[in-house]
Amino acid sequence: MINFERSKEIRIKRANTEWWVNERAIVGDNGLTYIAYMTDMGEIHVKEFDAKCSKTPSRDIRLCKLNCNYADEHNAPSICILKNGRIAVAYTGHGANGRLTYRMTSRPYDLFSFGEEHTIAYSGAVTYAQMFENTEKGEIWFFCRVSAVTWEFIYSKDEGESWSEPISVSEERGRIYDAIYRDGRIYALEFCNSTDKGFTCNEEGKFYKIFASDDNGKSFYEYSIIPFNTLGHAYGNLIFREDSSLVFYGYNVNDELNLTGLISNDFGLTWSEPFKIAVAK
């Protein structure tokens, strides 16, 4: 039960929000919460605080200042806490160049042990650095958009010391909103909508698609289409339930009290009719 008389908000000064899929707040095994964020002056920060005890002092560290002095949600950082407690944060400029930059702590949960910046070079301007850890394989994954069109995937087997060659996930214009791993297969969810006329879909015939890899990211192929009327939609997520059914849910600007959901009972190959998932606005 929440004691509203004692509860307090945790506020981040001069923070800007963003819309991407990576978790913005992560609770570590030490019980503390970590948030990576960008200020309205273009600075990348990480904040640590105890969400259960407002009297515990919080800590905040600035990692860098991007080459801008304004807030751009496309520059929002990606944060990942590895299984061993090391914290990794990645960031890019909004299509400013072909470099993805990341920093990692040398000690578990220690904000003041971030090492120097490391850079991954791409063939075109890169945006939307999204980072995950595959704990089953002990790998760090990156998905990002390159040259404002294609999506590429890379992975590291040695905690960021070296990286695979970039692999094209999809040649279709759109945004990859989620990626999950199950039984040797990577499922990447892309909404194949260019957003030229806005981030929500306003054209018929645009679909969410799953692109899959069965060889640990060495190649991807179109796995399935999630069939429903996507007008007004954006964002999207996938989640496997305990009974192995796969659930898709996405945002609908025309019905913000409900998410659109579909269920697959054959690992995402075929899908149910769409239904509404009630949420609080």
Side-chain angles (χ1 to χ4, degrees), residues 53-162:
C53 180
S54 60
K55 294 183 179 180
T56 302
S58 64
R59 299 194 297 176
D60 191 289
I61 186 171
R62 189 187 84 159
L63 294 185
C64 80
K65 179 176 174 58
L66 296 177
N67 187 25
C68 61
N69 55 7
Y70 59 90
D72 183 342
E73 65 181 10
H74 303 78
N75 295 339
S78 176
I79 185 171
C80 180
I81 298 180
L82 305 185
K83 190 176 181 180
N84 61 14
R86 294 182 69 192
I87 303 170
V89 178
Y91 39 90
T92 67
H94 185 187
N97 52 53
R99 297 192 302 272
L100 182 156
T101 305
Y102 66 97
R103 294 179 66 180
M104 300 182 65
T105 63
S106 59
R107 295 185 295 274
Y109 306 111
D110 185 356
L111 294 189
F112 299 104
S113 70
F114 272 101
E116 62 184 15
E117 286 189 338
H118 297 275
T119 299
I120 302 172
Y122 284 82
S123 60
V126 62
T127 312
Y128 309 137
Q130 298 304 298
M131 177 171 43
F132 306 87
E133 182 186 30
N134 183 332
T135 56
E136 182 176 316
K137 288 187 171 293
E139 297 172 352
I140 301 174
W141 292 358
F142 272 125
F143 290 88
C144 61
R145 192 184 72 178
V146 180
S147 300
V149 179
T150 61
W151 287 87
E152 294 186 358
F153 167 79
I154 61 172
Y155 63 90
S156 172
K157 294 178 175 290
D158 51 16
E159 296 189 357
E161 294 297 323
S162 62

Side-chain angles (χ1 to χ4, degrees), residues 10-267:
I10 296 291
R11 295 185 180 273
I12 296 176
K13 187 178 181 181
R14 302 175 70 88
N16 182 53
T17 58
E18 58 81 53
W19 51 263
W20 199 235
V21 63
N22 256 135
E23 296 172 296
R24 295 279 70 81
I26 300 178
V27 179
D29 289 340
N30 61 352
L32 299 179
T33 299
Y34 297 84
I35 296 178
Y37 68 97
M38 177 188 60
T39 72
D40 59 3
M41 298 302 293
E43 297 177 343
I44 301 296
H45 284 242
V46 178
K47 191 174 199 68
E48 173 196 81
F49 62 91
D50 188 342
K52 295 181 179 179
C53 180
S54 60
K55 294 183 179 180
T56 302
S58 64
R59 299 194 297 176
D60 191 289
I61 186 171
R62 189 187 84 159
L63 294 185
C64 80
K65 179 176 174 58
L66 296 177
N67 187 25
C68 61
N69 55 7
Y70 59 90
D72 183 342
E73 65 181 10
H74 303 78
N75 295 339
S78 176
I79 185 171
C80 180
I81 298 180
L82 305 185
K83 190 176 181 180
N84 61 14
R86 294 182 69 192
I87 303 170
V89 178
Y91 39 90
T92 67
H94 185 187
N97 52 53
R99 297 192 302 272
L100 182 156
T101 305
Y102 66 97
R103 294 179 66 180
M104 300 182 65
T105 63
S106 59
R107 295 185 295 274
Y109 306 111
D110 185 356
L111 294 189
F112 299 104
S113 70
F114 272 101
E116 62 184 15
E117 286 189 338
H118 297 275
T119 299
I120 302 172
Y122 284 82
S123 60
V126 62
T127 312
Y128 309 137
Q130 298 304 298
M131 177 171 43
F132 306 87
E133 182 186 30
N134 183 332
T135 56
E136 182 176 316
K137 288 187 171 293
E139 297 172 352
I140 301 174
W141 292 358
F142 272 125
F143 290 88
C144 61
R145 192 184 72 178
V146 180
S147 300
V149 179
T150 61
W151 287 87
E152 294 186 358
F153 167 79
I154 61 172
Y155 63 90
S156 172
K157 294 178 175 290
D158 51 16
E159 296 189 357
E161 294 297 323
S162 62
W163 296 90
S164 68
E165 290 297 317
I167 302 297
S168 176
V169 177
S170 166
E171 298 295 333
E172 296 199 42
R173 293 196 64 186
R175 291 174 175 171
I176 291 180
Y177 282 119
D178 203 2
I180 56 176
Y181 179 83
R182 175 88 171 205
D183 296 334
R185 174 174 291 151
I186 301 171
Y187 298 79
L189 174 70
E190 179 178 1
F191 189 18
C192 299
N193 175 47
S194 70
T195 71
D196 288 342
K197 299 178 182 179
F199 82 96
T200 57
C201 181
N202 50 35
E203 295 182 55
E204 297 278 359
K206 302 295 184 180
F207 295 103
Y208 290 87
K209 295 183 179 181
I210 295 177
F211 292 87
S213 173
D214 298 326
D215 53 12
N216 198 38
K218 294 182 177 64
S219 62
F220 283 83
Y221 60 94
E222 184 177 312
Y223 181 76
S224 68
I225 296 174
I226 303 177
F228 69 99
N229 187 339
T230 62
L231 287 175
H233 284 74
Y235 317 131
N237 288 90
L238 297 171
I239 184 170
F240 274 106
R241 300 192 296 186
E242 290 185 358
D243 63 359
S244 294
S245 61
L246 180 59
V247 179
F248 160 86
Y249 57 94
Y251 166 76
N252 182 358
V253 70
N254 300 314
D255 185 5
E256 293 189 315
L257 294 180
N258 295 282
L259 298 172
T260 299
L262 293 88
I263 296 176
S264 172
N265 290 308
D266 55 8
F267 301 98

